[in-house]
Amino acid sequence: MRYAALTSLMLLAAVTTVSAQRPPMTGPAGGAAPSPYDRDALYPTPVKLYGRVNVGVRKRDATPQRIDADPCAASSATGSTGWAVDGVERSRVGLLGTEVLDRGLMAHLQLEQSFDPDTGALRGPCGLAFDARATVGLSDRSWGRIDLGRTDQPAWLLSQRIDPWSGSGTASPDWRTYVAPERGATRSSGAVTYTSRDESPWRVALQVGRPLLSQPDRHDSGVSLAYDRLPWLVGAGYQRWPGASWAQPMVVAHDSGTRRLAAAFTTGRFQGTDYRNLFIGWSAPEMAKGDPARLEWRAGVNLHHVDGGRVGDWQSHTKFGLGGRYRLSHHAWFAWGGAWVKPRAGSGHAAADVSLTYAFERNLRVPQWPR
């Protein structure tokens, strides 16, 4: 037994010595590399899983509210005025990939899918997977970024910068501030999108793409230009669709850190009819427990005018919105909102919602170099 134990100790020492003398892993440049799961703090994580799940109860407006409603579903063409469980804000899950290349270049990948958590159904048009975003691209700090694939239209993103609800929620003006040929057509498929570098206060975005894969001969184009440096945001955008449909939002916002006042004026044409929209929004975060946005109040007024007064269920109206959000933690928050809508023709009606949201973000452990 004594000799067996001594032999075991000698074998263990030999294995340890050989392991210590094994040459280290090397990267592509031949230099020593850390563990395949370690990352340099100066470089982004190569793959990140993120998402947001929102479920609430909402008394719907008399006209469709969801900007990303499925145009292939019959339910997207009509609204319900009763209370129902619904995703008040857009729920989504996505993958974000970033890799550092040579000479300052970076490669990007983003796949994002919207869904209804109350039913589990995808919210992409006609069952389209990765309806929110599906892009791959390159970026450089000196000239900016280029993405290829399906993504939001620049003019739409600019118009949402002034909405305290970011296009979600009953109190938001939703698609009414940016009327596309199909409600929810605020993203372009097969698009080539250029975005200027982040370091400059002047932000330029240019996009050319096809909004629907079923119509390969349909080309869209959009552009936005903005000055974005606290406390001011000033910008304008233009989006054009086939059939002489277009939208031109102009925005201005002032953010003092504790109060934010913003306004947007949009002119456009939809199905041969001109429209104008004015939205004024306000938000005020309250300090609590060291978190500058623990409690946030929101309010907005939307004035929408359609030449002729009405086109189908789309009509001139005035909408007042009021709501708030309370953060339970960094990942979870509770939100509520209400609105009063007064069409030009007909009586006014109220809408409201309450919802709970949980957001997550997780870096995936992937090898830095192959073994």
Side-chain angles (χ1 to χ4, degrees):
M1 295 294 294
R2 186 179 308 172
Y3 289 105
L6 181 60
T7 302
S8 300
L9 290 175
M10 292 177 64
L11 289 175
L12 179 61
V15 171
T16 304
T17 303
V18 172
S19 300
Q21 294 177 353
R22 186 177 64 179
M25 296 174 55
T26 59
S35 165
Y37 294 103
D38 292 340
R39 297 299 302 177
D40 191 316
L42 297 178
Y43 295 96
T45 302
V47 180
K48 180 181 295 183
L49 175 67
Y50 68 93
R52 182 178 67 186
V53 181
N54 172 275
V55 179
V57 179
R58 170 160 61 179
K59 181 181 180 183
R60 288 185 180 275
D61 194 345
T63 54
Q65 280 279 3
R66 282 158 38 178
I67 59 172
D68 52 356
D70 188 347
C72 300
S75 60
S76 66
T78 59
S80 172
T81 57
W83 288 90
V85 176
D86 185 29
V88 178
E89 298 183 13
R90 184 165 62 90
S91 295
R92 63 192 180 188
V93 63
L95 288 173
L96 182 65
T98 304
E99 188 70 19
V100 179
L101 308 178
D102 295 334
R103 300 179 181 179
L105 286 175
M106 298 182 69
H108 304 275
L109 166 72
Q110 188 170 0
L111 301 173
E112 185 176 310
Q113 173 64 58
S114 302
F115 63 94
D116 277 323
D118 50 320
T119 63
L122 301 182
R123 289 179 67 169
C126 307
L128 181 68
F130 302 119
D131 67 305
R133 186 172 177 126
T135 60
V136 61
L138 294 172
S139 70
D140 183 271
R141 287 189 175 183
S142 61
W143 52 260
R145 173 169 171 165
I146 293 180
D147 288 295
L148 308 176
R150 177 178 173 83
T151 187
D152 291 290
Q153 296 163 356
W156 165 252
L157 289 176
L158 183 62
S159 68
Q160 294 309 289
R161 293 287 303 276
I162 55 86
D163 183 0
W165 292 271
S166 300
S168 300
T170 298
S172 171
D174 281 332
W175 57 267
R176 297 176 176 89
T177 62
Y178 183 92
V179 181
E182 295 86 16
R183 293 188 189 122
T186 59
R187 303 179 182 94
S188 295
S189 296
V192 179
T193 306
Y194 167 76
T195 308
S196 62
R197 59 193 185 98
D198 294 336
E199 288 77 6
S200 172
W202 290 99
R203 304 293 175 84
V204 179
L206 175 64
Q207 182 182 94
V208 177
R210 302 183 180 98
L212 293 177
L213 296 176
S214 59
Q215 300 179 15
D217 59 340
R218 178 175 174 176
H219 294 265
D220 294 352
S221 60
V223 63
S224 67
L225 172 65
Y227 177 82
D228 188 3
R229 174 167 288 181
L230 289 176
W232 288 102
L233 167 65
V234 181
Y238 178 80
Q239 176 68 31
R240 186 173 184 85
W241 300 273
S245 295
W246 55 273
Q248 183 176 341
M250 295 172 283
V251 306
V252 59
H254 183 272
D255 190 344
S256 66
T258 58
R259 300 289 187 274
R260 189 172 192 268
L261 182 64
F265 179 71
T266 303
T267 60
R269 178 172 296 176
F270 172 72
Q271 294 181 352
T273 302
D274 292 335
Y275 70 89
R276 291 170 293 280
N277 189 95
L278 174 63
F279 177 77
I280 300 175
W282 170 85
S283 62
E286 295 289 341
M287 303 288 186
K289 300 181 180 179
D291 189 344
R294 173 74 66 167
L295 175 63
E296 182 180 279
W297 293 98
R298 307 168 177 176
V301 179
N302 188 64
L303 307 176
H304 194 78
H305 176 81
V306 181
D307 288 356
R310 180 167 183 156
V311 178
D313 66 347
W314 176 53
Q315 58 183 308
S316 301
H317 68 274
T318 301
K319 183 174 184 178
F320 301 93
L322 180 65
R325 178 175 65 176
Y326 182 80
R327 283 194 173 272
L328 304 172
S329 69
H330 180 71
H331 299 282
W333 60 87
F334 174 76
W336 63 93
W340 175 260
V341 183
K342 178 60 175 71
R344 174 184 292 184
S347 59
H349 54 271
D353 67 70
V354 291
S355 65
L356 180 65
T357 302
Y358 183 88
F360 61 91
E361 184 177 289
R362 178 72 175 179
N363 295 332
L364 302 183
R365 293 170 60 85
V366 296
Q368 187 172 9
W369 310 118
R371 287 185 179 275

Coordinates of all heavy atoms in Angstrom, one line a residue, residues 166-236:
S166 N -42.7 55.5 -27.1 CA -41.9 54.8 -28.1 C -42.7 54.0 -29.1 O -42.3 52.9 -29.5 CB -40.8 54.0 -27.5 OG -39.9 54.8 -26.8
G167 N -43.9 54.5 -29.4 CA -44.8 53.8 -30.3 C -45.6 52.6 -29.7 O -46.3 51.9 -30.5
S168 N -45.5 52.4 -28.4 CA -46.2 51.3 -27.8 C -47.1 51.9 -26.7 O -46.9 53.0 -26.2 CB -45.2 50.3 -27.1 OG -44.4 49.7 -28.1
G169 N -48.2 51.1 -26.4 CA -49.1 51.6 -25.3 C -50.3 52.3 -25.8 O -50.3 52.9 -26.9
T170 N -51.3 52.3 -25.1 CA -52.6 52.8 -25.5 C -52.5 54.3 -25.7 O -53.2 54.9 -26.6 CB -53.7 52.5 -24.4 OG1 -53.8 51.1 -24.4 CG2 -55.0 53.1 -24.8
A171 N -51.7 55.0 -24.8 CA -51.7 56.5 -24.9 C -50.8 57.0 -26.1 O -50.8 58.2 -26.4 CB -51.2 57.0 -23.6
S172 N -50.0 56.1 -26.7 CA -49.2 56.5 -27.8 C -50.0 56.8 -29.0 O -51.0 56.2 -29.3 CB -48.1 55.4 -28.1 OG -47.4 55.7 -29.3
P173 N -49.6 57.8 -29.9 CA -50.3 58.0 -31.2 C -50.1 56.8 -32.1 O -50.8 56.7 -33.1 CB -49.7 59.3 -31.7 CG -48.3 59.4 -31.1 CD -48.5 58.7 -29.7
D174 N -49.1 56.0 -31.9 CA -48.8 54.8 -32.7 C -48.7 55.1 -34.2 O -48.0 56.1 -34.5 CB -50.0 53.7 -32.5 CG -49.8 52.9 -31.3 OD1 -48.7 52.8 -30.8 OD2 -50.8 52.5 -30.7
W175 N -49.2 54.3 -35.1 CA -49.0 54.5 -36.5 C -49.6 55.7 -37.1 O -49.3 56.1 -38.2 CB -49.6 53.3 -37.2 CG -51.1 53.1 -37.0 CD1 -51.6 52.2 -36.0 CD2 -52.2 53.7 -37.7 NE1 -53.0 52.3 -36.1 CE2 -53.4 53.2 -37.1 CE3 -52.3 54.6 -38.7 CZ2 -54.7 53.6 -37.5 CZ3 -53.6 55.0 -39.1 CH2 -54.7 54.4 -38.5
R176 N -50.4 56.4 -36.3 CA -51.1 57.6 -36.8 C -50.1 58.8 -37.1 O -50.4 59.7 -37.9 CB -52.2 58.1 -35.8 CG -53.3 57.1 -35.6 CD -54.2 57.6 -34.5 NE -55.4 56.8 -34.3 CZ -55.4 55.8 -33.5 NH1 -54.4 55.4 -32.8 NH2 -56.5 55.0 -33.4
T177 N -48.9 58.7 -36.5 CA -48.0 59.8 -36.7 C -47.1 59.5 -38.0 O -46.4 60.4 -38.4 CB -47.0 59.9 -35.5 OG1 -46.3 58.7 -35.4 CG2 -47.7 60.2 -34.3
Y178 N -47.3 58.3 -38.5 CA -46.4 57.9 -39.6 C -47.2 56.8 -40.4 O -47.0 55.6 -40.3 CB -45.1 57.3 -39.0 CG -44.1 56.9 -40.0 CD1 -43.1 57.8 -40.4 CD2 -44.0 55.6 -40.5 CE1 -42.0 57.4 -41.2 CE2 -43.0 55.2 -41.4 CZ -42.0 56.1 -41.7 OH -41.0 55.7 -42.5
V179 N -48.1 57.3 -41.3 CA -49.0 56.4 -42.0 C -48.3 55.7 -43.2 O -48.0 56.4 -44.2 CB -50.3 57.1 -42.4 CG1 -51.2 56.1 -43.1 CG2 -50.9 57.7 -41.2
A180 N -48.1 54.4 -43.1 CA -47.5 53.7 -44.2 C -48.5 53.0 -45.1 O -49.7 53.0 -44.7 CB -46.5 52.6 -43.6
P181 N -48.2 52.5 -46.3 CA -49.2 51.8 -47.1 C -49.9 50.7 -46.4 O -51.1 50.5 -46.6 CB -48.3 51.4 -48.3 CG -47.2 52.3 -48.4 CD -46.9 52.7 -47.0
E182 N -49.1 49.9 -45.6 CA -49.7 48.9 -44.7 C -49.4 49.3 -43.3 O -48.2 49.7 -43.0 CB -49.2 47.5 -45.0 CG -49.6 47.0 -46.3 CD -48.6 47.4 -47.4 OE1 -47.5 47.8 -47.0 OE2 -48.9 47.3 -48.6
R183 N -50.4 49.3 -42.4 CA -50.0 49.6 -41.0 C -49.0 48.6 -40.5 O -49.2 47.4 -40.6 CB -51.3 49.6 -40.2 CG -52.2 50.7 -40.6 CD -53.4 50.8 -39.6 NE -54.4 51.7 -40.2 CZ -55.6 51.4 -40.4 NH1 -56.1 50.2 -40.2 NH2 -56.4 52.3 -40.9
G184 N -48.0 49.1 -40.0 CA -46.9 48.2 -39.5 C -45.8 48.1 -40.5 O -44.7 47.5 -40.2
A185 N -45.9 48.7 -41.7 CA -44.8 48.7 -42.7 C -43.8 49.8 -42.4 O -43.5 50.7 -43.2 CB -45.4 48.9 -44.1
T186 N -43.3 49.8 -41.2 CA -42.3 50.7 -40.7 C -40.9 50.2 -40.8 O -39.9 50.8 -40.3 CB -42.6 51.2 -39.3 OG1 -42.5 50.0 -38.4 CG2 -43.9 51.9 -39.2
R187 N -40.8 49.0 -41.4 CA -39.5 48.3 -41.6 C -39.3 48.0 -43.1 O -40.3 47.7 -43.8 CB -39.3 47.1 -40.7 CG -39.5 47.4 -39.3 CD -39.4 46.1 -38.4 NE -39.6 46.4 -37.0 CZ -40.8 46.3 -36.4 NH1 -41.9 45.9 -37.1 NH2 -40.9 46.6 -35.2
S188 N -38.1 48.0 -43.6 CA -37.8 47.6 -44.9 C -37.0 46.3 -45.0 O -36.1 46.1 -44.3 CB -37.0 48.7 -45.6 OG -37.8 49.9 -45.7
S189 N -37.4 45.4 -45.9 CA -36.7 44.2 -46.1 C -35.8 44.3 -47.3 O -36.0 45.1 -48.2 CB -37.7 43.1 -46.4 OG -38.5 42.8 -45.3
G190 N -34.7 43.5 -47.3 CA -33.7 43.6 -48.4 C -33.1 45.0 -48.4 O -32.7 45.4 -49.5
A191 N -32.9 45.6 -47.3 CA -32.5 47.0 -47.3 C -31.0 47.1 -47.1 O -30.3 46.3 -46.5 CB -33.2 47.8 -46.1
V192 N -30.5 48.2 -47.7 CA -29.1 48.6 -47.5 C -29.2 49.9 -46.7 O -29.7 50.9 -47.1 CB -28.3 48.9 -48.8 CG1 -26.9 49.3 -48.5 CG2 -28.3 47.6 -49.6
T193 N -28.7 49.9 -45.4 CA -28.9 51.1 -44.5 C -27.5 51.6 -44.1 O -26.7 50.8 -43.6 CB -29.7 50.7 -43.3 OG1 -30.9 50.1 -43.7 CG2 -29.9 51.9 -42.4
Y194 N -27.3 52.9 -44.3 CA -26.0 53.5 -43.8 C -26.4 54.4 -42.7 O -27.3 55.2 -42.7 CB -25.4 54.3 -44.9 CG -24.3 55.3 -44.4 CD1 -23.1 54.8 -44.0 CD2 -24.6 56.6 -44.3 CE1 -22.1 55.6 -43.5 CE2 -23.6 57.5 -43.8 CZ -22.4 57.0 -43.4 OH -21.4 57.8 -42.9
T195 N -25.6 54.4 -41.6 CA -25.7 55.2 -40.4 C -24.4 55.9 -40.1 O -23.3 55.2 -40.1 CB -26.2 54.4 -39.2 OG1 -27.4 53.7 -39.6 CG2 -26.5 55.4 -38.0
S196 N -24.3 57.2 -39.9 CA -23.1 57.9 -39.7 C -22.5 57.5 -38.3 O -23.2 56.9 -37.4 CB -23.3 59.4 -39.8 OG -24.2 59.8 -38.8
R197 N -21.3 57.8 -38.0 CA -20.6 57.5 -36.8 C -21.2 58.1 -35.6 O -21.8 59.2 -35.6 CB -19.1 57.8 -36.9 CG -18.8 59.3 -37.1 CD -17.4 59.5 -37.5 NE -17.1 60.9 -37.6 CZ -16.5 61.6 -36.6 NH1 -16.2 61.0 -35.5 NH2 -16.2 62.9 -36.8
D198 N -21.1 57.4 -34.4 CA -21.8 57.8 -33.2 C -21.1 59.0 -32.6 O -21.7 59.8 -31.8 CB -21.9 56.7 -32.2 CG -22.8 55.6 -32.7 OD1 -23.6 55.8 -33.5 OD2 -22.6 54.4 -32.2
E199 N -19.8 59.2 -32.8 CA -19.1 60.3 -32.1 C -19.5 61.7 -32.5 O -19.4 62.6 -31.7 CB -17.6 60.1 -32.4 CG -16.9 58.9 -31.7 CD -17.2 57.6 -32.4 OE1 -17.8 57.7 -33.5 OE2 -16.8 56.6 -31.9
S200 N -20.1 61.8 -33.7 CA -20.5 63.2 -34.1 C -21.9 63.5 -33.7 O -22.8 62.6 -33.6 CB -20.5 63.2 -35.7 OG -21.0 64.4 -36.1
P201 N -22.2 64.7 -33.3 CA -23.6 65.1 -32.9 C -24.5 65.1 -34.1 O -25.7 65.0 -33.9 CB -23.4 66.5 -32.3 CG -22.2 67.0 -32.9 CD -21.3 65.9 -33.1
W202 N -24.0 65.2 -35.3 CA -24.8 65.1 -36.5 C -25.0 63.7 -36.9 O -24.0 62.9 -37.1 CB -24.2 65.9 -37.6 CG -24.3 67.4 -37.3 CD1 -23.2 68.2 -36.8 CD2 -25.4 68.3 -37.5 NE1 -23.6 69.5 -36.7 CE2 -25.0 69.6 -37.2 CE3 -26.7 68.1 -38.0 CZ2 -25.8 70.7 -37.2 CZ3 -27.5 69.2 -38.1 CH2 -27.1 70.5 -37.7
R203 N -26.3 63.2 -37.0 CA -26.6 61.8 -37.3 C -27.3 61.8 -38.6 O -28.3 62.4 -38.8 CB -27.4 61.2 -36.2 CG -26.9 61.3 -34.8 CD -25.6 60.5 -34.7 NE -25.0 60.6 -33.4 CZ -25.3 60.0 -32.3 NH1 -26.4 59.1 -32.3 NH2 -24.7 60.1 -31.2
V204 N -26.7 61.0 -39.6 CA -27.3 60.8 -40.9 C -27.6 59.3 -41.1 O -26.8 58.5 -40.7 CB -26.3 61.3 -42.0 CG1 -27.0 61.1 -43.4 CG2 -26.0 62.8 -41.8
A205 N -28.8 59.0 -41.6 CA -29.1 57.6 -41.9 C -29.8 57.6 -43.3 O -30.7 58.5 -43.6 CB -30.1 57.1 -40.9
L206 N -29.4 56.7 -44.1 CA -29.9 56.6 -45.5 C -30.2 55.1 -45.8 O -29.4 54.2 -45.5 CB -28.9 57.1 -46.5 CG -29.2 56.9 -48.0 CD1 -30.5 57.7 -48.3 CD2 -28.0 57.3 -48.9
Q207 N -31.4 54.8 -46.3 CA -31.8 53.4 -46.5 C -32.5 53.3 -47.9 O -33.3 54.1 -48.3 CB -32.8 53.0 -45.4 CG -33.2 51.6 -45.5 CD -34.2 51.2 -44.4 OE1 -35.4 51.3 -44.6 NE2 -33.7 50.9 -43.2
V208 N -32.2 52.2 -48.5 CA -32.9 51.7 -49.8 C -33.2 50.3 -49.6 O -32.4 49.5 -49.2 CB -32.1 52.0 -51.0 CG1 -32.8 51.4 -52.3 CG2 -31.7 53.4 -51.2
G209 N -34.5 49.9 -49.8 CA -34.9 48.5 -49.6 C -36.3 48.2 -50.1 O -37.0 49.0 -50.7
R210 N -36.6 46.9 -49.9 CA -38.0 46.4 -50.3 C -38.7 46.0 -49.0 O -38.2 45.2 -48.3 CB -37.8 45.2 -51.2 CG -37.0 45.4 -52.5 CD -37.0 44.1 -53.3 NE -36.3 44.3 -54.5 CZ -35.0 43.9 -54.7 NH1 -34.4 43.3 -53.7 NH2 -34.4 44.1 -55.8
P211 N -39.9 46.6 -48.8 CA -40.6 46.3 -47.5 C -41.2 44.9 -47.4 O -41.4 44.5 -46.3 CB -41.6 47.4 -47.4 CG -41.9 47.8 -48.8 CD -40.6 47.6 -49.5
L212 N -41.5 44.3 -48.6 CA -42.2 43.0 -48.5 C -41.5 42.1 -49.5 O -41.3 42.4 -50.7 CB -43.7 43.1 -48.9 CG -44.6 43.9 -48.0 CD1 -46.0 44.0 -48.5 CD2 -44.6 43.3 -46.6
L213 N -41.2 40.9 -49.0 CA -40.5 39.9 -49.8 C -41.4 39.4 -51.0 O -40.9 39.0 -52.0 CB -40.0 38.7 -49.0 CG -39.0 39.0 -47.9 CD1 -38.7 37.8 -47.1 CD2 -37.7 39.6 -48.5
S214 N -42.7 39.5 -50.8 CA -43.7 39.0 -51.8 C -43.8 40.0 -53.0 O -44.4 39.7 -54.0 CB -45.0 38.8 -51.2 OG -45.5 40.0 -50.6
Q215 N -43.1 41.2 -52.8 CA -43.2 42.2 -53.9 C -41.7 42.6 -54.2 O -41.3 43.7 -53.8 CB -44.0 43.4 -53.5 CG -45.5 43.0 -53.2 CD -46.3 44.2 -52.8 OE1 -45.9 45.3 -53.0 NE2 -47.4 44.0 -52.2
P216 N -41.0 41.8 -55.0 CA -39.6 42.1 -55.2 C -39.3 43.3 -56.0 O -38.2 43.8 -56.1 CB -39.1 40.8 -55.9 CG -40.3 40.2 -56.5 CD -41.4 40.5 -55.6
D217 N -40.3 43.8 -56.8 CA -40.1 44.9 -57.6 C -40.5 46.2 -56.9 O -40.5 47.3 -57.5 CB -41.0 44.8 -58.9 CG -42.5 44.7 -58.5 OD1 -42.8 44.3 -57.4 OD2 -43.3 44.9 -59.4
R218 N -40.7 46.1 -55.6 CA -41.1 47.3 -54.8 C -40.0 47.8 -54.0 O -39.5 47.2 -53.1 CB -42.3 46.9 -53.9 CG -42.8 48.0 -53.0 CD -44.0 47.6 -52.2 NE -44.4 48.6 -51.3 CZ -45.4 48.5 -50.5 NH1 -46.2 47.4 -50.6 NH2 -45.8 49.4 -49.7
H219 N -39.5 49.0 -54.4 CA -38.4 49.6 -53.7 C -38.8 50.8 -52.9 O -39.5 51.7 -53.4 CB -37.3 50.1 -54.8 CG -36.7 49.0 -55.5 ND1 -35.5 48.4 -55.2 CD2 -37.1 48.3 -56.6 CE1 -35.2 47.4 -56.0 NE2 -36.2 47.4 -56.9
D220 N -38.3 50.8 -51.7 CA -38.6 52.0 -50.8 C -37.3 52.7 -50.6 O -36.2 52.2 -50.8 CB -39.1 51.5 -49.4 CG -40.4 50.8 -49.5 OD1 -41.0 50.9 -50.6 OD2 -40.9 50.2 -48.5
S221 N -37.4 54.0 -50.1 CA -36.2 54.8 -49.8 C -36.6 55.7 -48.7 O -37.7 56.2 -48.6 CB -35.8 55.6 -51.0 OG -36.8 56.4 -51.5
G222 N -35.6 55.9 -47.8 CA -35.8 56.8 -46.7 C -34.5 57.4 -46.2 O -33.4 56.9 -46.4
V223 N -34.6 58.6 -45.6 CA -33.4 59.3 -45.1 C -33.8 60.1 -43.8 O -34.9 60.5 -43.7 CB -32.8 60.2 -46.2 CG1 -33.8 61.3 -46.5 CG2 -31.5 60.8 -45.7
S224 N -32.8 60.3 -43.0 CA -33.0 61.2 -41.8 C -31.7 61.9 -41.5 O -30.6 61.4 -41.7 CB -33.5 60.4 -40.6 OG -32.4 59.5 -40.1
L225 N -31.9 63.1 -41.0 CA -30.8 64.0 -40.6 C -31.2 64.6 -39.2 O -32.2 65.2 -39.1 CB -30.5 65.1 -41.6 CG -29.5 66.1 -41.2 CD1 -28.1 65.5 -41.0 CD2 -29.4 67.2 -42.3
A226 N -30.3 64.5 -38.3 CA -30.6 65.0 -36.9 C -29.3 65.5 -36.2 O -28.2 65.1 -36.5 CB -31.2 63.9 -36.1
Y227 N -29.5 66.6 -35.4 CA -28.5 67.1 -34.5 C -28.9 66.5 -33.1 O -30.0 66.9 -32.6 CB -28.5 68.6 -34.5 CG -27.5 69.1 -33.4 CD1 -26.1 69.2 -33.7 CD2 -27.9 69.5 -32.2 CE1 -25.2 69.7 -32.8 CE2 -27.0 70.0 -31.2 CZ -25.7 70.1 -31.6 OH -24.8 70.6 -30.6
D228 N -28.1 65.6 -32.6 CA -28.4 64.9 -31.3 C -27.3 65.1 -30.3 O -26.3 64.3 -30.3 CB -28.7 63.4 -31.6 CG -29.2 62.7 -30.5 OD1 -29.5 63.3 -29.4 OD2 -29.4 61.4 -30.6
R229 N -27.4 66.1 -29.5 CA -26.5 66.3 -28.4 C -27.2 67.0 -27.3 O -27.8 68.0 -27.5 CB -25.3 67.2 -28.8 CG -24.4 67.5 -27.7 CD -23.0 68.1 -28.2 NE -22.2 67.0 -28.8 CZ -21.0 67.3 -29.3 NH1 -20.5 68.5 -29.2 NH2 -20.3 66.3 -29.8
L230 N -27.2 66.3 -26.1 CA -28.0 66.9 -25.0 C -27.6 68.3 -24.7 O -26.5 68.7 -24.8 CB -27.6 66.0 -23.7 CG -28.2 64.6 -23.7 CD1 -27.8 63.9 -22.4 CD2 -29.8 64.7 -23.7
P231 N -28.7 69.1 -24.4 CA -30.1 68.7 -24.2 C -31.0 68.7 -25.4 O -32.2 68.6 -25.2 CB -30.5 69.8 -23.2 CG -29.8 71.0 -23.6 CD -28.4 70.5 -24.1
W232 N -30.4 68.9 -26.6 CA -31.3 69.1 -27.8 C -31.3 68.0 -28.7 O -30.2 67.3 -28.9 CB -30.8 70.4 -28.5 CG -31.2 71.7 -27.8 CD1 -30.3 72.4 -27.1 CD2 -32.5 72.3 -27.7 NE1 -31.0 73.5 -26.6 CE2 -32.3 73.4 -26.9 CE3 -33.7 72.0 -28.2 CZ2 -33.4 74.3 -26.6 CZ3 -34.8 72.8 -27.9 CH2 -34.6 73.9 -27.2
L233 N -32.4 67.7 -29.3 CA -32.6 66.8 -30.5 C -33.4 67.6 -31.5 O -34.5 68.0 -31.2 CB -33.2 65.5 -30.1 CG -33.7 64.7 -31.3 CD1 -32.5 64.2 -32.1 CD2 -34.6 63.5 -30.8
V234 N -32.8 67.8 -32.7 CA -33.5 68.5 -33.8 C -33.3 67.7 -35.1 O -32.1 67.3 -35.4 CB -33.1 69.9 -34.0 CG1 -33.9 70.6 -35.1 CG2 -33.2 70.7 -32.7
G235 N -34.3 67.3 -35.8 CA -34.1 66.5 -37.0 C -35.3 66.5 -37.9 O -36.4 66.9 -37.6
A236 N -35.1 65.9 -39.1 CA -36.1 65.7 -40.1 C -35.8 64.5 -40.9 O -34.7 64.0 -41.0 CB -36.2 66.9 -41.0

